[in-house]
Amino acid sequence: MLGAVVPMAEIEPGCHLGNDFGCGFPAPDASIFEIEPYFGSFTKPVFLLLLGSLIIIIFFLAAFRNSKLIPGKLQSVGEMGYLFIRDGISREVIGKDGDRFVPLLFTLFFFVWIGNLWGIIPGAQFPVNSRFAFPVGLAITVWLIYMYLGMRHQGPIKFFTNMMFPPGMPKAIYVILAPIELISNVIVRPVTLSIRLFANMFAGHLLLTVFTVATFYLASLSLVGILGSATSFLMTIIFTAFEALIQALQAYIFTLLTAVYIAGSLHAEH
Amino acid sequence: MTWLLAAEEGGSNVLRIPLFEFFIGLAAFFIVFGVLAKFALPVIKKTLEDRADAIEGGIKRAEEAQAEAQRTLEQYQEQMAAARAEVAEIRQQTEAERATVMEEARKAAEVQAAQIAANATSQIEAEKAKALAELRKSMGGVATDLAGRIVGESMTDDARAAGVVDRFISELEQAAPNGGQN
């Protein structure tokens, strides 16, 4: 039953378990991430991306533009976000001299988070970062900053030799360690940074779609239909809550790793 | 796995990076970053710094006020102690003065009393001597007259008469104790 894969676009209306169509379970596949553009190249994720960007700008301008010593409600909420990034990530990972990177980390966190959050917002229900192009763009940006800061603070060659020859190892180990360190820092880091975010959002959205489709597919006036549909619906709810957690967590991890990379570029890792 | 298969079959490849999405994603990110970094975050950064200053300033002011209060209290206690010491000193002085005055008064009174007693004694002595002298004189006269009359011998010769009288009196004085004993 599950083996029969039907692209979502081809699902016939009224395709239910046990009716006469004889259609199998229309398991969602990668095609659910390919959405017809509204116009030109403006697809749903692009639209959500721009809307999310606008929301971030409006919210934080409203919250911070007229900030007072004794904050109002909006400013308090905004401050929580700011202090979370500054104290919880920047100062924790980079230290006090990381304060100049707070705007970057702050923007990264909220930009990624709202992009993820669209995945469970009713009506939108599409995580922007499940489109690989967006995490890749962010990861390349982070990588360029990482490389630039490293070469500026440690020297263009020292940066790489520091990274390849961590002190305190037997000399022979460096034969293996040096290339591994180079590859892991320069190539693996940006790749994993983008894929981690993308894959989590991709998988989460696919999972939610599977249970949502199953809820409709199984809905019929039979014991199996009622039980199956109800269970699928419950799973949809549970995984939505789970997704909410994952979305914030992935935004946090993305920002945290960026801070870790910046910290590593400012001072040679020991 | 299905999406990979689909990709191989020429369908959708989720790892494909459409350039439009890539660049609009970057543009959106940098616009958000630019606006927040320029207009929102410096404001809140400054507000938080001001708040920290205000709180630290408040704490500092409170500490100063407390120190001031402590100083005033110490001053007050010092003054109190000084005043107490002064009172005690004055009391002691007064006590000493009182004792001296009383002692002096007592001595003066004693001296006066002694003087009065001495005056009285000497006056009495003088009176006694005068009385005795007068008595002796008058008694001598009376006795000589009487003796003269009895003896018929003139006892007017003063020198002899006085010698007789004196002898008589000393005999009397010698006899008096015997006579007293008899």
Side-chain angles (χ1 to χ4, degrees):
Chain A
M1 188 163 60
L2 282 169
V5 176
V6 183
M8 290 301 281
E10 293 165 29
I11 295 174
E12 293 170 69
C15 180
H16 287 298
L17 177 68
N19 65 8
D20 294 338
F21 282 95
C23 63
F25 175 65
D29 63 7
S31 65
I32 63 169
F33 294 92
E34 301 287 350
I35 297 169
E36 281 291 302
Y38 300 136
F39 58 91
S41 295
F42 278 82
T43 53
K44 184 174 176 178
V46 171
F47 173 71
L48 291 177
L49 172 93
L50 297 177
L51 188 61
S53 304
L54 202 64
I55 289 170
I56 295 174
I57 288 173
I58 289 169
F59 179 82
F60 285 112
L61 280 183
F64 291 162
R65 204 65 190 119
N66 296 309
S67 39
K68 309 260 189 319
L69 278 191
I70 296 148
K73 280 177 191 162
L74 195 63
Q75 191 188 331
S76 295
V77 174
E79 273 179 20
M80 278 169 63
Y82 184 83
L83 292 176
F84 167 64
I85 302 297
R86 192 194 71 180
D87 297 345
I89 295 179
S90 176
R91 287 193 179 167
E92 187 78 16
V93 176
I94 308 173
K96 190 93 173 170
D97 60 337
D99 277 10
R100 63 199 162 112
F101 300 109
V102 168
L104 174 76
L105 299 173
F106 184 90
T107 312
L108 263 181
F109 177 79
F110 286 100
F111 192 78
V112 172
W113 188 29
I114 199 153
N116 295 350
L117 209 53
W118 285 124
I120 56 166
I121 303 285
Q125 279 155 329
F126 190 92
V128 171
N129 289 313
S130 66
R131 294 292 293 171
F132 196 41
F134 301 125
V136 164
L138 294 177
I140 288 174
T141 308
V142 169
W143 183 80
L144 286 174
I145 292 167
Y146 170 51
M147 286 293 134
Y148 170 74
L149 287 173
M151 290 195 257
R152 217 188 102 193
H153 284 268
Q154 298 179 37
I157 294 162
K158 261 303 222 171
F159 176 48
F160 294 101
T161 52
N162 282 344
M163 156 195 309
M164 287 162 72
F165 304 102
M169 298 279 176
K171 287 234 159 30
I173 294 287
Y174 288 121
V175 178
I176 309 164
L177 196 64
I180 289 176
E181 283 289 330
L182 186 70
I183 292 168
S184 113
N185 282 304
V186 180
I187 298 167
V188 176
R189 276 184 170 186
V191 171
T192 52
L193 192 63
S194 55
I195 289 183
R196 182 183 299 108
L197 175 60
F198 154 74
N200 269 285
M201 291 306 105
F202 182 88
H205 184 57
L206 200 61
L207 206 58
L208 283 182
T209 315
V210 166
F211 283 111
T212 310
V213 169
T215 305
F216 284 96
Y217 174 73
L218 294 173
S220 61
L221 282 173
S222 64
L223 187 64
V224 174
I226 291 167
L227 278 180
S229 183
T231 309
S232 297
F233 183 66
L234 186 67
M235 289 303 278
T236 308
I237 303 292
I238 290 171
F239 273 100
T240 300
F242 185 63
E243 268 309 292
L245 180 74
I246 296 290
Q247 287 163 352
L249 193 67
Q250 285 305 319
Y252 174 69
I253 289 172
F254 197 97
T255 315
L256 186 75
L257 284 174
T258 302
V260 169
Y261 299 163
I262 289 173
S265 67
L266 294 181
H267 311 288
E269 286 163 83
H270 298 298
Chain B
M1 286 305 285
T2 52
W3 56 268
L4 275 179
L5 290 173
E8 279 162 16
E9 286 156 11
S12 58
N13 180 357
V14 293
L15 290 177
R16 199 164 49 87
I17 298 170
L19 285 183
F20 178 76
E21 282 188 356
F22 179 78
F23 285 114
I24 202 162
L26 279 181
F29 175 76
F30 280 106
I31 288 167
V32 172
F33 173 72
V35 172
L36 292 187
K38 189 148 176 55
F39 300 110
L41 298 177
V43 184
I44 195 65
K45 184 169 184 268
K46 189 169 180 312
T47 304
L48 290 174
E49 278 165 6
D50 288 352
R51 185 182 301 158
D53 278 355
I55 290 166
E56 274 166 21
I59 289 169
K60 207 175 167 198
R61 273 197 296 282
E63 275 171 359
E64 272 166 13
Q66 207 169 11
E68 177 68 41
Q70 187 64 32
R71 266 201 301 281
T72 312
L73 180 67
E74 275 166 14
Q75 243 169 28
Y76 164 78
Q77 280 172 343
E78 235 168 67
Q79 281 171 355
M80 276 294 282
R84 276 208 198 96
E86 210 177 333
V87 167
E89 202 183 334
I90 289 169
R91 189 179 291 161
Q92 213 171 5
Q93 222 169 1
T94 315
E95 192 71 24
E97 267 171 27
R98 196 169 66 95
T100 323
V101 168
M102 273 176 71
E103 184 65 19
E104 273 170 12
R106 202 171 60 81
K107 273 183 188 158
E110 268 172 13
V111 167
Q112 218 172 356
Q115 210 174 353
I116 288 167
N119 279 353
T121 313
S122 62
Q123 212 173 346
I124 288 164
E125 284 297 321
E127 291 290 327
K128 194 176 144 190
K130 203 170 130 195
L132 259 171
E134 270 175 20
L135 188 61
R136 188 175 290 178
K137 201 166 140 193
S138 62
M139 210 169 72
V142 170
T144 37
D145 273 352
L146 184 62
R149 254 175 238 175
I150 294 165
V151 181
E153 187 184 338
S154 176
M155 295 290 278
T156 45
D157 184 352
D158 279 356
R160 278 173 63 190
V164 172
V165 170
D166 283 342
R167 233 179 8 255
F168 173 70
I169 287 169
S170 50
E171 277 168 16
L172 271 179
E173 279 172 353
Q174 279 174 357
N178 296 337
Q181 277 175 348
N182 292 336

